[in-house]
Amino acid sequence: MDIRQLRYFVQIVEAGSLSKASRQLLIAQPALSQQLAKLEGEVGKPLLNRSSKGISPTRNGMALYHHARFMLRQLDQSLSIARSEAGAVQGMVAVGLPATTVSAIGLSLVRRIRDAYPSILLNVVEGMSGHIGQLFRLGQLDLAILFSNDAARDMVVEPLLEEELFLMLPRHSDLVPPDRETITIAEASMLPLILPTASHGLRQRIASEFENRGLPTDVVAEIDSLSLLMNSVFDGIGATIKPMGAIMHEGARGRQWRHLSFSDARFRRRNFLYSLPAGRMTPAAAVVADELKAAARELVASRVWAGFDSITATPPARRGGAAKAKPAPAPQEAPSRSA
């Protein structure tokens, strides 16, 4: 077995067919099939299931695929470090971010790295927290932001920031009177809600808050796509409960939203930064981790967007009652470094 065979195998799995992989690798298909046969012969087990619809990895093939991707990433990073000039920080860094976190600090992170470390190739992977956690545990990410501090063993976990969860609805919605800026859990339970599916950590957090009070929820749709969920809310199908990043996600569209705080609950979600131990972290990954933390601190300190705090900070007591609503700032008003 050699590195070339592993690269070919990974490309075949990701392409889903030998013909497509051969075109991507610029290798004749018979030669590629021969290399695959040699690899399967050395492993002693079939690695791919072949059908008229294409190919898919067997159980053994999937295990090899994940380990091969990890090995190839480590090799590429090692070569990048060896080739770099003294004092230069370069290489590829893969960062896993949930969708609302991408909206909150993703652009700031990309700009920071591009401005200060142009030799670092930043690879941002957006996904649900469960998927991000799985990729990190498989060694396919250098850094990840997750919502619990026990998602991966033997890794460095640091508190990053705390997000307040708001009831969100478009400015034109009549589900909640326009003079309200807060809402109770009981009031929210009577609204049609659009929430992530039950496997999503945010959904579990919301469900526990309602269940602790013995309140039902009127869930009219379950959607794990942030863009589709927010489109559905804006279309009047229901309201949702999300951190401020969901509205920041709408920045390019200029759509107007309201965000109502919960007056009778400390409805919060914590973000944790996961990284490899110091001995296994590349210099480029360490730099990106520092810039991620700096982007989070800037977001909290700017106060341009509501609902972001340091995890160690004690949030001020929230006043209840009805007050004149202060609408969410228009997304285009946020400074580019914080959007």
Side-chain angles (χ1 to χ4, degrees), residues 53-74:
K53 296 182 180 179
I55 60 174
S56 60
T58 64
R59 182 175 179 180
N60 297 97
M62 182 59 73
L64 178 61
Y65 167 74
H66 287 307
H67 285 284
R69 280 202 64 183
F70 174 74
M71 292 168 61
L72 293 172
R73 284 191 67 248
Q74 293 295 100

Side-chain angles (χ1 to χ4, degrees), residues 11-23 32 53-55:
Q11 192 65 44
I12 291 169
V13 171
E14 293 181 349
S17 75
L18 279 168
S19 59
K20 185 176 180 181
S22 69
R23 292 194 299 270
L32 188 59
K53 296 182 180 179
I55 60 174

